[in-house]
């Protein structure tokens, strides 16, 4: 009897230790486009890069290739999870112990489709980001055994997979001026093509060991200065048609993730409703500390949305945190701080009420 009480106490103690370990997230792997690219395009032959001032003007690490005055939403989310900056895959120094807390594969101009963004030059489309992840897993295999103790499967199962992709498939493909994609696909068929490819891509990340996924839906693409400046009739309002297109895609992604959650054992895919969260901020601007919802801080032309942020342009906006948008396509550091906090501890959406903080406890 005494023995079993001790055994019980010992077991509870072990459970306590185990659940502490289970509450940890060991690494973060990031996939996506320029919204989360930390400089993977710097050494590629492409126009889609941001490794020049005034990008990074408010970033401790300075100019890095991030399309932002400060940190991306992946940087701020990583910070909340206790990670240092997750290094870019396409950098010779990203190797050895530096990859033990994760790697960022995101590439500016990239989309779900291989063709998306090609008009700007070289890039890593989602399929190639996944191939690059596979290379990282091979490198991690022996590192993980010697430093973490557990196997690679356990390690990946306790990692966060963050994906933020799809905007370019619309903005720089289907909706791009003179694009021939609309001749090949109806809008509905194009949404379906993207969601079917994305489904295959997420499944392959699951098959390689991913279990905890944060999947960002598209933001209100009709509200970016690029759309307002070029396609908007009213510079004080978002472009409804572009917003509708983003919403249609999001609804299909959400449904697709619901299926993955049902069909893939042990998988947790959180759908992050970035669209609603961003509209909430735009509609209640001052409550979030912003003054300008529709025009970019750095850029030129109508709504500062027609010409990208370039070193030659004077940086007129001294208070970057007054702006939702840094340049014609990307939000400011101030916005990314709010968004990351929301992913970490807020309500991501009403359907499956769980946030990243809860996901990592599973
Ligand atoms: C996209 O390109 C990659 C790498 O070149 C290739 O492996 C993959 O099969 C392509 N995807 C599709 C859907 O064709
Ligand atoms: C432009 O949009 C704003 C905000 O929705 C609205 O208040 C204003 O009436 C619109 N102006 C025109 C000319 O439609
Ligand atoms: C920047 O913001 C601060 C505080 O909100 C304000 O005092 C200052 O006048 C602003 N500067 C400019 C150039 O807008
Ligand atoms: C936080 C907050 O005040 N949100 C408000 C934003 O605006 C909408 C529509 O005006 C309100 O319904 C929210 O309560």
């Amino acid at each position: 009897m005494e023995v079993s009480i001790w055994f019980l106490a010992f077991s509870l103690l072990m459970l306590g230790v185990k659940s502490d370990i289970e509450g940890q997230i060991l690494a973060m792997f990031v996939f996506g486009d320029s919204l989360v690219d930390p400089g993977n395009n710097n050494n590629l032959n492409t126009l889609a890069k941001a490794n020049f001032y005034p990008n990074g003007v408010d970033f401790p690490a300075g100019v890095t290739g991030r399309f932002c005055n400060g940190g991306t939403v992946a940087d701020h989310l990583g910070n909340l999870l206790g990670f240092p900056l997750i290094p870019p895959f396409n950098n010779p120094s990203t190797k050895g112990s530096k990859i033990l807390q994760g790697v960022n594969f995101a590439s500016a101009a990239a989309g779900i489709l291989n063709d998306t963004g090609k008009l700007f030059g070289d890039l890593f489309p989602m399929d190639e980001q996944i191939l690059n992840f596979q290379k990282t897993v091979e490198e991690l295999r022996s590192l993980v055994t010697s430093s973490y103790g557990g196997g690679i499967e356990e390690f990946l199962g306790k990692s966060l997979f963050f994906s933020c992709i799809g905007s370019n498939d619309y903005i720089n493909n289907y909706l791009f001026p003179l694009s021939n994609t609309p001749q090949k696909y109806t809008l509905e068929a194009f949404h379906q093509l993207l969601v079917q490819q994305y489904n295959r891509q997420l499944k392959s990340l699951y098959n390689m060991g991913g279990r905890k996924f944060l999947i960002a839906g598209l933001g209100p693409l009709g509200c970016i200065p690029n759309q307002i400046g070029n396609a908007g009739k009213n510079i004080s309002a978002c472009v409804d048609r572009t917003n509708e297109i983003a919403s249609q895609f999001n609804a299909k992604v959400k449904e697709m993730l619901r299926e993955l959650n049902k069909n893939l054992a042990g998988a947790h895919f959180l759908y992050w409703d970035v669209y609603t969260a961003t509209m909430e901020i735009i509609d209640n601007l001052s409550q979030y500390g912003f003054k300008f919802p529709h025009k970019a801080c750095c850029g030129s032309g109508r709504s500062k949305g027609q010409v990208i942020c370039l070193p030659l342009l004077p940086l007129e906006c001294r208070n970057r945190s007054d702006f939702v948008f840094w340049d014609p396509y990307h939000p400011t550091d101030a916005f990314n701080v709010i968004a990351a906090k929301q992913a970490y501890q807020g309500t991501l959406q009403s359907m499956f009420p769980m946030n990243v903080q809860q996901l990592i406890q599973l």
Side-chain angles (χ1 to χ4, degrees):
M1 196 58 193
E2 236 181 322
V3 171
S4 31
I5 286 168
W6 278 111
F7 180 73
L8 187 67
F10 183 67
S11 309
L12 285 174
L13 195 68
M14 291 305 286
L15 277 175
V17 171
K18 194 158 172 283
S19 74
D20 267 0
I21 292 169
E22 277 180 354
Q24 278 180 25
I25 201 83
L26 299 174
M28 177 158 103
F29 298 99
V30 183
F31 302 84
D33 53 30
S34 55
L35 291 167
V36 290
D37 181 352
N40 279 313
N41 283 18
N42 291 357
N43 300 315
L44 297 184
N45 184 14
T46 175
L47 294 173
K49 40 177 131 188
N51 53 345
F52 49 80
Y53 181 88
N55 292 298
V57 60
D58 300 312
F59 198 51
V63 173
T64 57
R66 287 168 171 80
F67 291 74
C68 189
N69 61 310
T72 68
V73 68
D75 297 327
H76 290 298
L77 181 60
N79 183 41
L80 291 169
L81 290 164
F83 291 126
L85 291 177
I86 302 295
F89 172 82
N90 194 29
N91 185 313
S93 77
T94 301
K95 57 176 190 243
S97 62
K98 284 202 182 153
I99 68 175
L100 275 168
Q101 288 182 299
V103 174
N104 185 324
F105 303 91
S107 171
I112 292 167
L113 302 182
N114 278 345
D115 287 346
T116 292
K118 281 278 148 72
L119 74 162
F120 298 106
D122 293 340
L123 54 91
F124 300 107
M126 189 62 168
D127 274 343
E128 219 167 315
Q129 293 182 31
I130 293 169
L131 293 173
N132 290 340
F133 171 68
Q134 204 162 21
K135 292 177 197 157
T136 296
V137 171
E138 287 317 311
E139 196 181 341
L140 275 171
R141 213 173 279 279
S142 57
L143 281 171
V144 161
T145 325
S146 58
S147 67
Y148 164 62
I152 184 80
E153 261 171 55
E154 192 183 334
F155 181 85
L156 294 176
K158 289 180 180 171
S159 297
L160 179 68
F161 289 69
F162 176 28
S163 174
C164 172
I165 198 145
S167 300
N168 287 311
D169 294 293
Y170 291 96
I171 297 298
N172 287 317
N173 187 340
Y174 201 88
L175 296 174
F176 198 75
L178 305 179
S179 161
N180 67 355
T181 311
Q183 273 123 60
K184 292 192 260 179
Y185 302 97
T186 63
L187 188 54
E188 178 63 20
F190 191 68
H191 292 322
Q192 276 171 16
L193 172 71
L194 291 184
V195 172
Q196 174 207 330
Q197 294 298 312
Y198 202 14
N199 178 279
R200 173 182 57 77
Q201 291 160 343
L202 294 175
K203 269 192 204 148
S204 76
L205 290 175
Y206 170 87
N207 288 333
M208 290 181 212
R211 289 298 177 270
K212 297 178 175 185
F213 293 86
L214 173 66
I215 308 297
L218 301 184
L221 296 178
C223 298
I224 65 176
N226 158 271
Q227 290 293 296
I228 297 174
N230 290 305
K233 293 192 175 67
N234 179 349
I235 58 163
S236 305
C238 302
V239 180
D240 288 340
R241 176 174 139 80
T242 315
N243 273 352
E244 253 166 53
I245 290 172
S247 297
Q248 289 162 1
F249 171 78
N250 284 343
K252 290 188 194 309
V253 168
K254 196 165 160 180
E255 193 47 44
M256 180 264 281
L257 296 178
R258 198 201 306 273
E259 288 295 311
L260 288 181
N261 278 325
K262 222 168 29 184
N263 299 333
L264 301 180
H268 301 276
F269 288 88
L270 293 195
Y271 172 69
W272 182 10
D273 185 358
V274 175
Y275 186 103
T276 302
T278 304
M279 287 314 295
E280 154 74 26
I281 292 173
I282 288 176
D283 289 343
N284 304 276
L285 206 61
S286 62
Q287 283 166 49
Y288 290 90
F290 295 108
K291 291 188 184 141
F292 307 105
H294 296 125
K295 69 172 178 184
C297 177
C298 184
S300 195
R302 199 163 172 257
S303 301
K304 293 207 177 181
Q306 292 177 302
V307 179
I308 62 167
C309 178
L310 292 168
L312 302 173
L313 300 171
L315 189 60
E316 286 161 6
C317 52
R318 278 192 229 128
N319 281 356
R320 268 76 69 175
S321 56
D322 286 346
F323 290 76
V324 171
F325 289 97
W326 162 243
D327 68 11
Y329 303 91
H330 309 96
T332 52
D333 180 81
F335 177 92
N336 289 335
V337 167
I338 297 170
K341 205 180 277 176
Q342 202 236 350
Y344 184 66
Q345 63 194 34
T347 307
L348 293 181
Q349 50 153 329
S350 48
M351 289 305 279
F352 317 102
M354 192 193 282
N355 53 37
V356 172
Q357 202 173 19
Q358 292 160 328
L359 175 71
I360 67 177
Q361 303 295 329
L362 293 176

